[in-house]
Amino acid sequence: MSQKEIPYKIYLEESEMPTAWYNLRADMKNKPAPLLNAATHERMTAEELAGVFCEELIRQELDDQNPYYEIPKAIRDFYKMYRPSPLVRAYCLEEKLQTPAKIYYKFEGNNTSGSHKLNSAIAQAYYAKQQGLTGVTTETGAGQWGTALSMACSYFGLDCKVYMVKCSYEQKPFRREVMRTYGASVTPSPSMETAVGRKILAEHPGTGGSLGCAISEAVEKASQTEGYRYVLGSVLNQVMLHQSIIGLETKTAMDKYGIKPDVIIGCAGGGSNLGGLIAPFMGEKVRGEADYRFIAVEPASCPSFTRGVYAYDYCDTGMVCPLSKMYTLGSGFMPAANHSGGLRYHGMNSTLSQLYADGLMEAVSVKQTDVFAAAEDFARVEGILPAPESSHAIRVAIDEAMKCKETGEEKTILFGLTGTGYFDMLAYEKFHDGKMTDYIPTDEEIRKNFDKLPKVQ
Amino acid sequence: MSQKEIPYKIYLEESEMPTAWYNLRADMKNKPAPLLNAATHERMTAEELAGVFCEELIRQELDDQNPYYEIPKAIRDFYKMYRPSPLVRAYCLEEKLQTPAKIYYKFEGNNTSGSHKLNSAIAQAYYAKQQGLTGVTTETGAGQWGTALSMACSYFGLDCKVYMVKCSYEQKPFRREVMRTYGASVTPSPSMETAVGRKILAEHPGTGGSLGCAISEAVEKASQTEGYRYVLGSVLNQVMLHQSIIGLETKTAMDKYGIKPDVIIGCAGGGSNLGGLIAPFMGEKVRGEADYRFIAVEPASCPSFTRGVYAYDYCDTGMVCPLSKMYTLGSGFMPAANHSGGLRYHGMNSTLSQLYADGLMEAVSVKQTDVFAAAEDFARVEGILPAPESSHAIRVAIDEAMKCKETGEEKTILFGLTGTGYFDMLAYEKFHDGKMTDYIPTDEEIRKNFDKLPKVQ
């Protein structure tokens, strides 16, 4: 087939949109390790999870056999409001870099949540509604996940209770107001609404809170409120399943134009966007049908893959969630102030961890100031103002394209542009003013949390 | 032709994108009145304008004969980065309203400037570059125009000097940082950089500035800096010409699916987005080929069409620009604090003014709290968080759809959704907290500025 002229943006027709999510685990020879009960270290059962999570989502979480899940019509209809997202050929960036590489990015920021988070939020809200629940709880740090969930709950008429880390609640009033616009109740955490919140406030009056504390409050609230469950925006395999929509659309669009990527790059915090982007490509790789290079990009300040250990660990600092086997810096690891709030997580999705352990994926860490320099370069030529998280992938895509310039190779580079940076302008301001610093933890700081890993036999 | 199934979003192919702007004035029987020299009240010549404006833009401004301007390839390439914008069928809004009306909106917010402003910014930057200029100056209030121009100048390697009304500069640091990301120099106005700025600061120490003052500073700076000109984001007919891309894309998309709108609605500040949206449809109307209802929506706090007079007036409070014949509240009219910064303009584009005077278009004014109620309803079902300006059109689109519900008419309603409200969350917060008030000027307040209109024979 002769290669068609590639437009700047490839939008699939509605009729070409995926109708099923892809569960990569089904095709993996080495399956990710199962979740364990934090107290007994026994394999978690659906029954144990049912008090906190929605039933269908538990089924998806525990299923490493079934390769496809049909996307319910109500979710596909919602997807049609903001999807398909464009696959963009970065002609202007290529021109600026003077590289022979061909660069593509899948842009997930064109919706009000500003990121890919909405892909899973709408699915989780749907299953909660189907189960007859009246509401869900969650935590949010920077606010993208909380915004996405608020939108999804508003659409299905569910109550949405968000515990927002108190310092973010105060520093990011705009995010909070977006959530309120969608009818969510937003509580600064720690709060007096929960036992764990009251305990923390008694011990640490005036604390700005933490994600770990907010998770604990959200889980407590869900488990003690009739008709409520708790939902989570990353890390879990159910989230990665929903996010496979990113990769499936990308692959359909690329196949349509006869494009095959050589390198696929994504930023990695909890891992859901990266996992979603690579899913169908990695599926081909693990089935032996095609080969691709995959690169996970993480901040040097929170380097789970590149400096962590592969072990069972707590998913949350409050230790209320099950144990997951993953690359981790230890649940007690406190990442330094870093403006990529979405990447400040001590662990990593268990599926991606297994793939990395098996050598099927690479990982690199990058410094924050280098990331913002790439973000600004990208914004100026491609128009889009990227989120700091997404800009980790931009940094490495540019680095790879510059290597092609040296070698003359015409590689095809694909990266995930997960979101926009409109609510991150304080970070951009620091960068413009030369006040942004890079923090790289010492070996001692990294190792000290390893001792506190649960001793799983 | 049988009507195809209408997707949620209609995206044109790149090959279907307009290659020429449409100059509505060429087809109007009653042409808009010409610009006059503010001192002599004689018709402005291209030579007189050349010290302040770019040559090609002056040609476009003064031309009411040539119906089409080919869009230069460099601009079409830039358009491809964020256009075509989607024409959205508001299925979810229709469902919520339970109306038999079919509602469509053209969404211009999916770019980093957050609005349609980029359509003209890139054209103006291009012509400045073609003329061999090194930079442009402009003013910005809320910051959308300044952002758009920064992006455009960054793309073509032009200096961009933005005078930002000081109170906005301080209250909207995020907008300022977006402009800095694109390399613009942003100066709070009034400043010590210009004679007019120093004069105002001496007379009013500590003033928060005004748009009128910022215009005066930008014009002074442009006329006194070698290789610089001044550019403007609305009101002028050249801007409306560039914004015709909105209407042309919309019409192509509607024709493709056999859709004919009955009512076309847009918000009106300076008039450029409304003028751009309606241009090809109004062209058919003035040529007698088809009929449509057009509705301009303005804030009750700044009602140029509905309570102003049709007369020659100054375009700016500083009275440095030419006189334009338009619906105006008088250049001394100070609109009350209103969160739709983009609609706080005392006058109106001269072409739209002539159309309104000739009875070819209707106008309504709406109250701010009603506008935010519509914005929130829309956000919850359609996902997009609209700008307050755009929400004026939403308000009237909903009102028209509800009339259809009463009468049972299956009208097709089209409105322009000009942008997103991510930087307007303080206004949303006021609305959520019940602290937003409506201000409607008294007849006395409206009339008192009419006495100061220039006496043009």
Side-chain angles (χ1 to χ4, degrees):
Chain A
M1 173 183 137
S2 72
Q3 186 152 325
K4 297 181 209 170
E5 193 182 336
I6 312 291
Y8 278 63
K9 294 189 262 78
I10 306 174
Y11 282 106
L12 299 179
E13 301 286 328
E14 274 184 14
S15 58
E16 296 169 313
M17 285 175 69
T19 56
W21 294 302
Y22 171 57
N23 183 12
L24 173 60
R25 289 168 292 169
D27 285 330
M28 288 166 64
K29 287 177 193 72
N30 295 332
K31 308 286 185 191
L35 294 173
L36 300 185
N37 182 305
T40 65
H41 293 192
E42 297 292 320
R43 197 172 179 132
M44 282 299 279
T45 63
E47 292 68 33
E48 287 175 297
L49 291 164
V52 174
F53 294 105
C54 302
E55 286 161 19
E56 174 60 23
L57 293 168
I58 295 168
R59 191 165 80 88
Q60 294 176 2
E61 188 64 34
L62 300 181
D63 177 7
D64 58 10
Q65 298 299 322
N66 181 29
Y68 288 101
Y69 275 82
E70 189 183 328
I71 307 173
K73 182 174 181 303
I75 299 175
R76 279 188 283 132
D77 282 348
F78 187 89
Y79 278 168
K80 286 179 193 169
M81 284 207 292
Y82 72 99
R83 308 199 66 82
S85 67
L87 176 68
V88 186
R89 171 75 182 269
Y91 283 117
C92 298
L93 181 61
E94 292 170 18
E95 171 76 17
K96 180 187 162 70
L97 300 177
Q98 291 287 303
T99 173
K102 297 176 184 70
I103 308 174
Y104 293 85
Y105 55 92
K106 179 72 168 168
F107 179 43
E108 293 288 316
N110 271 350
N111 70 74
T112 293
S113 82
S115 80
H116 64 291
K117 296 282 184 186
L118 196 52
N119 301 332
S120 184
I122 193 64
Q124 297 194 43
Y126 170 81
Y127 291 118
K129 186 73 180 179
Q130 285 298 105
Q131 193 177 326
L133 301 176
T134 54
V136 293
T137 70
T138 201
E139 76 292 332
T140 202
Q144 283 185 322
W145 167 246
T147 306
L149 190 66
S150 304
M151 292 173 69
C153 287
S154 162
Y155 187 74
F156 285 125
L158 278 174
D159 293 342
C160 181
K161 175 100 188 154
V162 181
Y163 290 89
M164 186 171 187
V165 176
K166 189 185 273 176
C167 60
S168 294
Y169 181 92
E170 285 160 3
Q171 286 166 14
K172 295 204 164 189
F174 292 176
R175 276 278 184 209
R176 181 185 76 207
E177 287 308 317
V178 178
M179 289 184 256
R180 287 180 72 197
T181 301
Y182 287 96
S185 137
V186 188
T187 304
S189 167
S191 76
M192 294 298 285
E193 291 179 2
T194 64
V196 64
R198 288 188 293 273
K199 180 162 178 286
I200 290 168
L201 282 173
E203 288 168 5
H204 307 282
T207 176
S210 71
L211 207 51
C213 170
I215 293 177
S216 304
E217 288 205 82
V219 170
E220 179 185 323
K221 184 76 179 180
S223 58
Q224 296 186 357
T225 308
E226 181 69 29
Y228 271 57
R229 291 295 185 279
Y230 167 72
V231 297
L232 187 63
S234 188
V235 186
L236 297 176
N237 286 317
Q238 59 185 264
V239 182
M240 182 170 152
L241 173 70
H242 308 146
Q243 295 296 357
S244 70
I245 188 83
I246 304 172
L248 292 165
E249 279 186 10
T250 304
K251 187 143 196 334
T252 303
M254 290 194 137
D255 286 349
K256 190 172 168 181
Y257 284 87
I259 308 159
K260 184 178 177 296
D262 297 296
V263 193
I264 303 173
I265 300 164
C267 64
S272 68
N273 105 77
L274 175 66
L277 173 67
I278 70 173
F281 300 97
M282 183 63 87
E284 289 189 330
K285 183 162 175 167
V286 298
R287 294 191 305 266
E289 298 165 6
D291 196 20
Y292 306 95
R293 258 185 87 201
F294 299 97
I295 308 176
V297 190
E298 55 187 16
S301 59
C302 192
S304 327
F305 271 136
T306 52
R307 299 177 69 194
V309 288
Y310 189 35
Y312 268 104
D313 195 7
Y314 301 98
C315 291
D316 60 313
T317 40
M319 304 181 184
V320 297
C321 294
L323 301 182
S324 178
K325 190 173 179 191
M326 56 185 175
Y327 279 86
T328 179
L329 298 163
S331 65
F333 180 78
M334 292 298 290
N338 179 304
H339 295 289
S340 301
L343 304 182
R344 295 177 64 191
Y345 182 65
H346 68 278
M348 185 58 62
N349 168 272
S350 65
T351 303
L352 293 181
S353 293
Q354 186 63 48
L355 293 166
Y356 183 64
D358 290 341
L360 292 161
M361 185 171 71
E362 304 165 34
V364 295
S365 73
V366 289
K367 286 192 299 180
Q368 184 165 240
T369 50
D370 292 340
V371 165
F372 273 82
E376 193 161 281
D377 284 349
F378 179 84
R380 289 186 182 188
V381 291
E382 289 289 321
I384 297 166
L385 185 83
E389 290 85 350
S390 323
S391 304
H392 286 68
I394 297 174
R395 172 75 275 160
V396 174
I398 290 176
D399 292 347
E400 289 292 321
M402 293 310 284
K403 284 183 203 161
C404 289
K405 187 175 179 177
E406 281 175 32
T407 62
E409 288 174 289
E410 293 185 22
K411 283 189 184 166
T412 296
I413 297 169
L414 165 67
F415 71 94
L417 188 70
T418 53
T420 51
Y422 305 134
F423 293 95
D424 299 288
M425 295 319 296
L426 284 174
Y428 274 94
E429 183 174 15
K430 270 197 180 172
F431 177 70
H432 297 147
D433 292 342
K435 291 179 183 163
M436 180 171 282
T437 53
D438 289 309
Y439 182 74
I440 300 175
T442 63
D443 284 343
E444 195 181 350
E445 283 170 305
I446 293 278
R447 276 194 304 263
K448 73 176 181 190
N449 292 289
F450 293 169
D451 300 340
K452 297 167 202 151
L453 290 168
K455 306 286 180 285
V456 175
Q457 302 304 317
Chain B
M1 171 181 135
S2 73
Q3 186 151 322
K4 295 180 209 171
E5 193 182 337
I6 312 292
Y8 278 63
K9 294 189 263 72
I10 305 175
Y11 282 107
L12 299 180
E13 301 286 328
E14 276 184 11
S15 59
E16 297 169 315
M17 284 175 68
T19 57
W21 294 302
Y22 171 57
N23 183 13
L24 173 60
R25 288 168 293 169
D27 285 330
M28 287 167 64
K29 289 179 192 71
N30 295 332
K31 307 285 185 191
L35 294 173
L36 300 185
N37 181 304
T40 65
H41 292 192
E42 298 291 321
R43 197 173 179 131
M44 281 299 277
T45 64
E47 292 69 32
E48 286 175 297
L49 292 165
V52 175
F53 294 104
C54 302
E55 287 161 17
E56 174 60 24
L57 294 168
I58 294 168
R59 191 166 79 88
Q60 294 176 3
E61 188 64 35
L62 300 179
D63 178 6
D64 58 12
Q65 298 298 322
N66 181 27
Y68 288 100
Y69 275 82
E70 188 182 329
I71 307 173
K73 181 172 181 307
I75 299 175
R76 279 188 283 133
D77 281 347
F78 188 89
Y79 278 168
K80 285 179 193 169
M81 284 207 292
Y82 71 101
R83 309 200 66 84
S85 68
L87 176 68
V88 185
R89 172 76 183 267
Y91 283 116
C92 297
L93 181 61
E94 292 170 16
E95 171 74 18
K96 180 189 161 69
L97 301 177
Q98 291 287 304
T99 173
K102 297 177 184 69
I103 308 175
Y104 293 85
Y105 56 92
K106 179 72 166 169
F107 179 44
E108 293 289 315
N110 271 350
N111 69 75
T112 293
S113 82
S115 79
H116 64 291
K117 296 281 185 187
L118 196 52
N119 301 333
S120 183
I122 192 65
Q124 297 194 43
Y126 171 81
Y127 291 118
K129 186 73 180 178
Q130 284 298 104
Q131 194 178 325
L133 302 176
T134 54
V136 293
T137 69
T138 200
E139 77 291 331
T140 201
Q144 283 185 323
W145 167 246
T147 305
L149 190 66
S150 304
M151 292 173 68
C153 287
S154 162
Y155 187 75
F156 285 124
L158 279 173
D159 293 341
C160 181
K161 175 100 189 153
V162 181
Y163 290 89
M164 187 171 187
V165 177
K166 189 185 274 177
C167 60
S168 294
Y169 182 91
E170 285 161 2
Q171 286 167 13
K172 296 205 164 189
F174 291 176
R175 276 277 183 208
R176 182 185 76 207
E177 286 309 316
V178 178
M179 289 184 256
R180 287 179 74 198
T181 301
Y182 287 95
S185 137
V186 188
T187 303
S189 169
S191 76
M192 294 299 283
E193 291 180 2
T194 64
V196 63
R198 289 189 292 273
K199 180 162 180 287
I200 291 168
L201 282 173
E203 288 168 4
H204 306 280
T207 177
S210 72
L211 207 52
C213 171
I215 292 176
S216 304
E217 289 205 83
V219 170
E220 179 186 323
K221 184 76 178 179
S223 58
Q224 296 186 357
T225 308
E226 182 68 28
Y228 271 57
R229 291 295 185 281
Y230 166 73
V231 297
L232 187 64
S234 189
V235 185
L236 297 176
N237 286 317
Q238 59 188 264
V239 183
M240 181 168 152
L241 174 70
H242 308 145
Q243 295 297 356
S244 69
I245 188 82
I246 304 172
L248 292 164
E249 280 186 9
T250 304
K251 186 141 193 339
T252 302
M254 290 194 136
D255 286 349
K256 190 173 169 181
Y257 284 88
I259 308 160
K260 184 179 177 295
D262 297 296
V263 193
I264 302 173
I265 300 165
C267 63
S272 67
N273 104 78
L274 175 66
L277 173 67
I278 71 172
F281 300 98
M282 184 63 89
E284 289 189 331
K285 183 161 175 166
V286 297
R287 293 191 305 266
E289 298 165 7
D291 196 19
Y292 305 95
R293 256 184 90 198
F294 299 97
I295 308 177
V297 189
E298 55 187 16
S301 59
C302 193
S304 325
F305 271 136
T306 51
R307 298 178 68 193
V309 288
Y310 188 36
Y312 267 105
D313 195 7
Y314 301 97
C315 291
D316 59 313
T317 40
M319 302 181 186
V320 296
C321 294
L323 302 181
S324 177
K325 189 174 179 189
M326 56 184 175
Y327 280 85
T328 179
L329 298 163
S331 65
F333 180 77
M334 291 299 288
N338 179 303
H339 295 288
S340 301
L343 304 182
R344 294 178 64 192
Y345 182 66
H346 67 279
M348 185 58 63
N349 167 273
S350 65
T351 302
L352 293 182
S353 293
Q354 186 62 48
L355 293 167
Y356 183 64
D358 290 342
L360 291 161
M361 185 171 71
E362 305 165 32
V364 295
S365 73
V366 289
K367 286 191 298 181
Q368 184 165 240
T369 50
D370 292 340
V371 165
F372 273 81
E376 192 161 280
D377 283 348
F378 179 84
R380 290 187 182 188
V381 291
E382 289 289 321
I384 297 166
L385 186 82
E389 291 85 351
S390 324
S391 304
H392 286 69
I394 297 174
R395 172 75 274 158
V396 173
I398 290 177
D399 292 346
E400 290 291 320
M402 293 309 284
K403 284 182 203 161
C404 290
K405 187 175 178 176
E406 281 175 32
T407 63
E409 288 174 289
E410 291 185 23
K411 282 188 184 166
T412 297
I413 297 169
L414 165 67
F415 71 93
L417 188 70
T418 53
T420 50
Y422 305 136
F423 293 95
D424 298 288
M425 295 319 297
L426 284 174
Y428 274 93
E429 183 175 15
K430 269 197 181 173
F431 177 70
H432 297 148
D433 292 343
K435 290 179 181 162
M436 180 171 281
T437 52
D438 289 310
Y439 182 75
I440 300 175
T442 63
D443 284 343
E444 195 181 349
E445 282 169 306
I446 293 279
R447 275 193 305 264
K448 74 176 179 188
N449 292 288
F450 293 169
D451 300 339
K452 296 164 204 155
L453 291 168
K455 305 287 181 283
V456 175
Q457 300 306 316

